[in-house]
Amino acid sequence: MKFHPRRTTRALLPALAAGLALTALPAQPAQAASTLANGGFESDGAGAATPAGWSEYGDTGASYTEAGGHGGSYRLSHYAASAYKVETYQYLSGLANGNYTVTAWVRSSGGQKAAYIALKNCGGAEQRTDLPISSSGWIRIVTPIKVTNNQCTISINSDANAGNWINVDDLTFASGTTGTSIHGADISSLAKSEAKGGVYRTSSGGTGDALSILKSYGMNYARLKVWVNPADGFNDKAHVLATAKRVKAQGMKLLVDFHYSDTWADPGAQQKPAAWTAHTYSQLKTDVYNHTYDVLNALKAQGTTADMVQVGNEINGGMLWSEGSTDHWSQLAGLINSGYDAVKAVNSATVVALHLAKGGDKAGTEWWFDNAVANGVKFDAIGLSYYGYWHGPLADFQTTLDDAASRYGKPVFVAETAYPFRLDSDDALTNQIDTTGELVPGYPATVAGQTKWMNDVASIVEAVPNGRGLGVFSWEATWTAVAGNGWDPADAASGNGWENQALFGYDDRALSSMTWFSHR
């Protein structure tokens, strides 16, 4: 447990909603200052009912300091044995107008109706960041605001059920701003889905264009995979070109994800395309260049130039096995650099990303990229797959992402993440995640759980220092259960084990979890 109920609860104020506008609060304390006071909750030690510099509102007995800080010895906690609503806040005045960001280290049991840090009464719209669920590791979150009236209130809020808790520590309030530029989704399944009769609906049930529906919620970047000569004829050059026109017509940016295979390339399989199997290593380098150039130049020629390109997909063990495996780093470097050079020959402004499925593995990510750098691999950005049910806790994800951005001086993004909104299947194939025991603690397999997962992952990317967190791609937003659009391009009868992690429901309607696209 991360809390210690250690005193009788003081008389509670009337149970008013946490986070009410300050017009409903008592007069602000006279000592209001232009700098944040006691952001580390160290001034009073454990047991302070109202920490120095802070005020409280609501069920004030549920807000207190205790031992076990992130940086120093103490922290702020919200907890009560019965349901509670409480706000711990600090009013700052005399601020120079401009952009500010509050940074905080947090933990949370989850289960609350709401648990968030807000900046409000700063002259514009209130900004909030929900606390990600983490019962052990601390997670850093940020919330930016534009101050236009020389004042701002920093607010820590809980609207909690009995036994829910949060820990907050080491808050800072400083000049600067944050945000993410990529609010994306992989829609590689879309063309085949539509060809096989797949339908996409708005939340109210009207049929519509999937891309238009996604755009209406804030999606601004589409990811499309490319296979060389797939058995079903989809996800090939022609289909990527056709879908790219639709993507760009929506005003979205385009990420092209080269698998350098006729089928799925991932950490467990990096099969050469059939047409390249007998080729020498030298020929393979030419194959990579020519294929990459051919697809990207055709995109450019039709006015849909790729904004970002992945040279390889989840290349933990390399690509084009065995010549390009990580057992042969110099050869892998040559293959990647062939792809890089082809991208830049088509358009020097296109960002080249390298993509690993190691979202929670700091040591493994360092091993891979240290080898890449040592072998002269060229790249502009780092993409990581991060699935919480496979890749470890959110705190490990943050550590890995921050380290990669800092160690290699490159922007980072989540190339793939997802979460189920239910566990049962919409077709005959068992879903990859289909039991409660597989779920990330605190994130239920509900639309609300899916929404919170996507937003919390995006909040962690937003908090990457020095603005190096680009954003997130949801995988795979449009892959609903449609007969004939299963996982195996060589088997029309294969099913879909992922439809419970799409962003359209089993009734084909847009799920409200699409609101994550509007994340800062």
Side-chain angles (χ1 to χ4, degrees):
M1 285 295 198
K2 295 296 163 234
F3 54 82
H4 306 284
R6 80 282 164 266
R7 57 182 169 80
T8 53
T9 303
R10 291 175 292 124
L12 301 180
L13 294 177
L16 298 173
L20 290 176
L22 283 176
T23 51
L25 297 182
Q28 297 303 333
Q31 70 268 26
S34 60
T35 55
L36 181 69
N38 195 21
F41 303 99
E42 298 296 308
S43 293
D44 322 278
T50 305
W54 296 86
S55 302
E56 294 175 340
Y57 189 65
D59 297 327
T60 59
S63 172
Y64 52 87
T65 60
E66 61 181 340
H70 167 261
S73 300
Y74 306 104
R75 68 190 183 214
L76 176 75
S77 293
H78 286 179
Y79 165 79
S82 55
Y84 63 95
K85 295 180 183 179
V86 69
E87 176 184 19
T88 309
Y89 65 93
Q90 188 168 151
Y91 168 69
L92 301 179
S93 63
L95 294 170
N97 287 336
N99 292 315
Y100 293 85
T101 296
V102 67
T103 301
W105 288 89
V106 302
R107 295 191 292 204
S108 173
S109 67
Q112 300 93 343
K113 296 171 188 169
Y116 60 90
I117 290 178
L119 295 175
K120 60 186 185 178
N121 306 307
C122 312
E126 176 179 324
Q127 294 293 315
R128 294 184 180 183
T129 305
D130 291 334
L131 271 61
I133 298 167
S134 177
S135 60
S136 53
W138 291 88
I139 292 172
R140 186 184 63 259
I141 58 173
V142 293
T143 310
I145 197 76
K146 186 171 186 180
V147 173
T148 59
N149 61 354
N150 305 111
Q151 64 184 22
C152 196
T153 298
I154 299 165
S155 172
I156 303 165
N157 281 267
S158 293
D159 181 354
N161 297 300
N164 297 158
W165 56 267
I166 65 170
N167 302 147
V168 180
D169 202 5
D170 294 338
L171 286 96
T172 60
F173 184 77
S175 295
T177 191
T178 65
T180 51
S181 57
I182 295 174
H183 308 132
D186 194 303
I187 55 160
S188 298
S189 61
L190 180 60
K192 187 173 180 180
S193 173
E194 291 171 336
K196 301 295 181 182
V199 173
Y200 298 89
R201 302 181 185 278
T202 64
S203 59
S204 57
T207 57
D209 175 68
L211 273 171
S212 176
I213 294 167
L214 290 159
K215 170 73 180 297
S216 73
Y217 281 86
M219 177 174 155
N220 65 5
Y221 223 123
R223 180 178 186 256
L224 295 174
K225 70 170 175 266
V226 191
W227 288 337
V228 177
N229 187 24
D232 60 1
F234 288 90
N235 299 118
D236 61 350
K237 174 184 168 184
H239 283 92
V240 168
L241 287 168
T243 305
K245 284 185 178 178
R246 296 172 59 185
V247 167
K248 293 283 188 168
Q250 292 291 340
M252 295 180 186
K253 290 188 173 182
L254 174 65
L255 166 56
V256 179
D257 172 19
F258 285 92
H259 283 230
Y260 302 112
S261 181
D262 293 335
T263 187
W264 301 98
D266 57 41
Q270 294 283 339
Q271 244 177 296
K272 285 196 281 270
W276 304 359
T277 50
H279 290 188
T280 64
Y281 169 67
S282 178
Q283 286 174 303
L284 288 172
K285 283 198 293 183
T286 303
D287 292 333
V288 168
Y289 186 97
N290 289 345
H291 171 61
T292 306
Y293 186 93
D294 178 50
V295 173
L296 296 179
N297 197 48
L299 284 165
K300 180 181 177 180
Q302 69 171 16
T304 61
T305 300
D307 299 281
M308 188 186 293
V309 167
Q310 282 180 219
V311 175
N313 186 75
E314 295 188 333
I315 53 175
N316 299 14
M319 63 190 200
L320 293 166
W321 288 347
S322 60
E323 287 84 350
S325 86
T326 50
D327 292 335
H328 309 291
W329 258 107
S330 64
Q331 293 188 175
L332 173 58
L335 292 168
I336 293 172
N337 285 343
S338 277
Y340 180 96
D341 291 345
V343 176
K344 298 299 184 177
V346 173
N347 180 42
S348 61
T350 297
V351 175
V352 177
L354 299 183
H355 172 209
L356 304 184
K358 286 184 175 288
D361 182 0
K362 174 177 173 283
T365 299
E366 285 185 353
W367 175 85
W368 199 97
F369 277 99
D370 282 358
N371 275 289
V373 170
N375 282 276
V377 171
K378 295 179 282 190
F379 62 101
D380 305 321
I382 293 172
L384 296 176
S385 292
Y386 174 62
Y387 297 102
Y389 36 73
W390 292 330
H391 294 144
L394 285 164
D396 289 353
F397 163 58
Q398 180 166 70
T399 300
T400 305
L401 204 63
D402 289 357
D403 178 70
S406 168
R407 189 176 182 93
Y408 307 105
K410 303 289 187 184
V412 294
F413 65 98
V414 176
E416 299 180 18
T417 191
Y419 206 76
F421 61 89
R422 58 195 290 173
L423 293 173
D424 60 317
S425 296
D426 196 25
D427 64 8
L429 183 64
T430 300
N431 290 328
Q432 291 204 27
I433 302 299
D434 70 331
T435 66
T436 55
E438 293 172 296
L439 298 174
V440 179
Y443 293 88
T446 61
V447 174
Q450 183 184 52
T451 308
K452 181 160 177 57
W453 177 262
M454 294 302 302
N455 274 310
D456 289 352
V457 168
S459 291
I460 288 171
V461 177
E462 183 186 6
V464 173
N466 302 310
R468 288 193 174 122
L470 295 178
V472 177
F473 288 92
S474 166
W475 197 91
E476 216 258 25
T478 56
W479 200 11
T480 53
V482 175
N485 193 21
W487 70 271
D488 187 352
D491 179 5
S494 66
N496 176 2
W498 206 263
E499 73 271 13
N500 64 327
Q501 301 193 61
L503 296 181
F504 290 87
Y506 290 5
D507 57 1
D508 301 320
R509 296 187 184 201
L511 297 173
S512 59
S513 43
M514 283 190 195
T515 55
W516 89 264
F517 287 120
S518 297
H519 194 279
R520 274 188 311 271

